[in-house]
Amino acid sequence: MKFTEYKPVIGVIMGDGAGIGSEIIAKSAAEGALTSQARPVIIGDYRQLKRGMEIAGADFPVEVKDTIEEAVKYAKEQEKVVIYDTKAFDGYQVPMGELSALCGKDEAENMARAAEYCKKGLIEGICFAPNNKSAMKMAGVHLNGMVDFLADLFEYTGVKGEININGSAFNARVTGHIPAKDVSAALSVDKIMDTIHMSCDVLKRFGIKDPKVAVAALNPHGGENGTCGTEEIEIIGPAVEMAKKEGISITGPLAADTLFGQLFGGKYDLAVTMSHDQGQIAFKLINFSQVVTVYGGIPYPVGTGAHGTAYDIAGRGEAENGAYITAYGIVTQMCKVAMMKRSREEKEK
């Protein structure tokens, strides 16, 4: 089958029931954005979807199935919106815009279901509407970030990390959800190399064969030759040189206050940053509603919009679905690349 014709089966998760998730899923389905790119299978309680449809004022036909196998079969045959109704969560019973352990339990269980269906070969990737980590913790779910949660679900113990995408620009970070005062001590040549390898692999799964990488400095003005910090000399620079010897198209360390202008200008494909906000601020300043997160290292394509559950506007019908549609398209693209890779490998046997 041709790359352009292939439509993978994507697990669609509605996210936190008190947030904007079901609303943006309903809007996306009503606009035809889900079925035009792939074969969507919504995994969750039909009542939550119905509530989202009412909030969004979105009307579209949806087939309700009682098992995941029936839902996947329908999606493949009909290429229409279908939901595997878990019958596990009544969305009407939770107030919009409020933290709830009930929501946290449901969103965690739906993510676990989707991961299991990937492993069984029923679906090929996952695109989820925003979860709320605080609600999940209230429900007793142990997690630091979503990438760790996903790694546990997939029983994956290798290098992993969150990668943000805005248009054609990618950003991966060496450290994530840790205090700013701990960033320097958390850096090492090996950790930077792991992030470079992991993120380049994601870009290749997205179809970019030879990513052009820019590595950010940690300190102002790139450390000013050691007068404003030595991490660039002792850690970041050596990692960049090591990557160059491996044949990676890479530059750095570059001062972060100039790097992103060049990244968004198209000089580079990927920025590797040293801390969470170093890249996140730049990415979210540029067209926030389109920023997407994918999860590097995870063995199946998984993505979401980079915004949160937006409790402040939940239930009002005001939520924008652009980031979700973009994430859905990226997950679809990664599934297609994976399919092409499998086809090549089978031919070579």
Side-chain angles (χ1 to χ4, degrees):
M1 182 179 291
K2 293 181 180 178
F3 184 89
T4 53
E5 296 174 350
Y6 183 67
K7 285 188 171 184
V9 179
I10 305 295
V12 173
I13 311 299
M14 292 180 282
D16 187 88
I20 61 172
S22 59
E23 176 188 344
I24 63 176
I25 296 299
K27 284 182 178 179
S28 301
E31 292 169 7
L34 304 185
T35 51
S36 66
Q37 303 182 70
R39 294 177 169 88
V41 176
I42 301 173
I43 299 166
D45 195 297
Y46 178 59
R47 290 167 291 185
Q48 184 181 354
L49 177 62
K50 212 173 161 189
R51 192 186 198 190
M53 293 169 71
E54 292 169 1
I55 292 168
D59 186 22
F60 57 91
V62 55
E63 187 75 12
V64 182
K65 297 295 185 182
D66 291 329
T67 70
I68 185 63
E69 289 81 8
E70 290 176 318
V72 170
K73 184 174 183 291
Y74 182 87
K76 288 181 175 180
E77 292 176 350
Q78 301 295 326
E79 295 190 32
K80 296 178 181 177
V81 177
V82 60
I83 181 171
Y84 160 45
D85 185 7
T86 62
K87 299 181 176 65
F89 173 75
D90 185 355
Y92 290 99
Q93 298 303 310
V94 296
M96 298 301 293
E98 294 183 15
L99 275 174
S100 162
L102 187 63
C103 291
K105 179 175 182 290
D106 180 70
E107 57 199 288
E109 289 179 345
N110 286 331
M111 292 294 290
R113 289 184 179 102
E116 188 63 27
Y117 302 151
C118 278
K119 290 187 283 187
K120 288 182 177 179
L122 292 165
I123 63 177
E124 296 163 73
I126 302 167
C127 191
F128 63 95
N131 290 317
N132 190 298
K133 293 194 290 290
S134 294
M136 293 167 74
K137 288 177 181 178
M138 285 176 65
V141 179
H142 176 72
L143 78 165
N144 177 30
M146 281 306 300
V147 70
D148 298 315
F149 179 65
L150 286 164
D152 288 342
L153 293 179
F154 284 107
E155 301 172 292
Y156 174 76
T157 58
V159 178
K160 58 188 181 296
E162 295 183 5
I163 297 177
N164 290 124
I165 307 170
N166 194 335
S168 60
F170 292 72
N171 174 63
R173 50 187 183 259
V174 179
T175 67
H177 301 103
I178 64 172
K181 66 181 179 64
D182 297 334
V183 170
S184 177
L187 297 178
S188 69
V189 172
D190 287 344
K191 193 163 186 179
I192 293 170
M193 288 298 295
D194 284 345
T195 304
I196 291 168
H197 289 146
M198 177 271 297
S199 51
C200 283
D201 179 63
V202 168
L203 268 69
K204 289 173 184 176
R205 288 168 69 184
F206 191 67
I208 301 172
K209 294 180 180 179
D210 184 25
K212 294 178 178 60
V213 184
V215 178
L218 174 67
N219 296 297
H221 303 165
E224 295 184 340
N225 295 315
T227 62
C228 191
T230 59
E231 287 86 355
E232 289 75 19
I233 296 170
E234 297 170 354
I235 303 171
I236 305 171
V240 171
E241 291 306 311
M242 191 177 295
K244 284 180 180 178
K245 289 178 181 177
E246 293 182 2
I248 296 172
S249 300
I250 193 165
T251 304
L254 301 175
D257 60 356
T258 58
L259 184 159
F260 289 98
Q262 298 175 67
L263 178 73
F264 289 117
K267 186 174 181 179
Y268 305 107
D269 300 305
L270 166 70
V272 173
T273 51
M274 297 301 114
S275 65
H276 181 281
D277 285 2
Q278 193 178 47
Q280 289 286 80
I281 291 172
F283 263 59
K284 291 187 176 182
L285 275 172
I286 304 293
N287 200 2
F288 173 75
S289 65
Q290 294 298 318
V291 183
V292 167
T293 301
V294 296
Y295 296 89
I298 303 302
Y300 295 86
V302 182
T304 187
H307 57 74
T309 47
Y311 280 172
D312 56 327
I313 61 168
R316 298 182 188 175
E318 300 172 4
E320 296 183 9
N321 62 335
Y324 184 82
I325 291 174
T326 302
Y328 187 84
I330 287 170
V331 170
T332 297
Q333 179 84 350
M334 293 174 74
C335 288
K336 287 183 175 184
V337 171
M339 180 275 292
M340 294 297 290
K341 183 180 178 183
R342 289 195 302 270
S343 297
R344 286 195 301 269
E345 290 172 350
E346 288 172 5
K347 288 178 181 178
E348 291 170 359
K349 288 180 180 179

